[in-house]
Amino acid sequence: MVLHFLIRGRVQGVGFRWFVHREAAELSLRGWVRNTDTGEVEVLVAGDPTALADLRTELHKGSRGSRVDKVIEHELDESEAASLTAFKIEGAW
């Protein structure tokens, strides 16, 4: 299963990407997380449906210091997961 999330709220500059990375890695999910130019956080993730449901729950809760106002979710075709590797943070230095 492959999901794309767009998280809106106070999610940049509060460790949200690191939070998502930790949660996804613990769930053995593949994919990436990154900030957008418009202040949101974007996640592309693939894995077991149960693990994805657990990640979804955590995304709605957010990290300490963040405020999640909205989570937009889309299910993608399995082919979108072909190039995904171990979960990573994109755009982190």
Side-chain angles (χ1 to χ4, degrees):
M1 183 174 212
V2 184
L3 297 176
H4 177 263
F5 294 99
L6 193 62
I7 301 98
R8 294 185 175 154
R10 190 175 71 220
V11 292
Q12 288 193 11
V14 293
F16 196 87
R17 290 179 301 159
W18 299 97
F19 160 76
V20 174
H21 180 267
R22 185 187 73 234
E23 297 295 328
E26 286 179 7
L27 293 166
S28 300
L29 296 170
R30 297 175 294 130
W32 49 259
V33 59
R34 66 182 174 201
N35 286 339
T36 69
D37 293 339
T38 54
E40 297 129 345
V41 169
E42 182 179 21
V43 180
L44 181 64
V45 64
D48 175 74
T50 302
L52 289 169
D54 291 344
L55 180 64
R56 178 188 299 114
T57 298
E58 294 305 314
L59 292 178
H60 281 276
K61 289 180 189 175
S63 63
R64 177 184 276 177
S66 71
R67 185 191 73 245
V68 175
D69 294 335
K70 187 172 189 176
V71 178
I72 300 167
E73 176 182 338
H74 296 100
E75 186 172 344
L76 302 178
D77 190 88
E78 287 292 328
S79 64
E80 297 289 335
S83 64
L84 297 179
T85 59
F87 202 87
K88 64 184 178 184
I89 298 172
E90 288 195 344
W93 54 122

